[in-house]
Amino acid sequence: TGNKLDLDKFKETLRLSKEATDLWKKVLWTARVTPSPISFFDATIHMGPIVVLRGTQVAKDYYGTLLAELELGVPGMLVLGKIVIITTYILLKIRDKYMVTYFIL
């Protein structure tokens, strides 16, 4: 490609990837409790960021926020709508945090 490898950027990407992966594992482990705050279908939906955003701060923030929501629980949340509600909430929270970045790019 003609571009030199930026070792510092590579290390940062690996660190973020590891941290996001560790958070994703913790998210999946929340399914052990009864009643489970996350189902197979929820996990399938939430797998997206670890696949397409691995190594980014966005993925790490996504799983950190998701884990906090699952551990906290949302009183009165309808089971049927929890995938959409949690996913939308997390994406909006992350979007707001990184909105400045989007405009700069």
Side-chain angles (χ1 to χ4, degrees):
T1 65
N3 297 327
K4 289 188 176 185
L5 175 65
D6 182 345
L7 198 52
D8 291 332
K9 186 174 180 181
F10 180 67
K11 288 177 182 178
E12 175 69 5
T13 301
L14 288 177
R15 182 188 65 76
L16 289 170
S17 180
K18 171 78 169 112
E19 290 174 5
T21 301
D22 290 345
L23 288 167
W24 175 228
K25 283 189 233 177
K26 289 178 182 179
V27 164
L28 294 175
W29 276 103
T30 64
R32 294 180 301 162
V33 296
T34 304
S36 175
I38 188 169
S39 70
F40 166 79
F41 299 105
D42 298 330
T44 303
I45 296 293
H46 290 295
M47 186 185 346
I50 203 65
V51 175
V52 297
L53 298 172
R54 186 181 299 266
T56 66
Q57 185 67 43
V58 175
K60 180 183 168 192
D61 290 349
Y62 183 90
Y63 290 113
T65 304
L66 176 59
L67 182 61
E69 290 294 318
L70 292 172
E71 288 176 340
L72 177 66
V74 181
M77 178 183 285
L78 294 173
V79 174
L80 209 55
K82 84 176 166 185
I83 297 172
V84 175
I85 293 169
I86 292 176
T87 304
T88 303
Y89 172 76
I90 292 170
L91 291 175
L92 289 174
K93 218 170 162 182
I94 290 171
R95 182 204 62 197
D96 291 345
K97 183 175 180 183
Y98 290 100
M99 190 58 73
V100 175
T101 305
Y102 296 139
F103 287 119
I104 291 173
L105 295 175

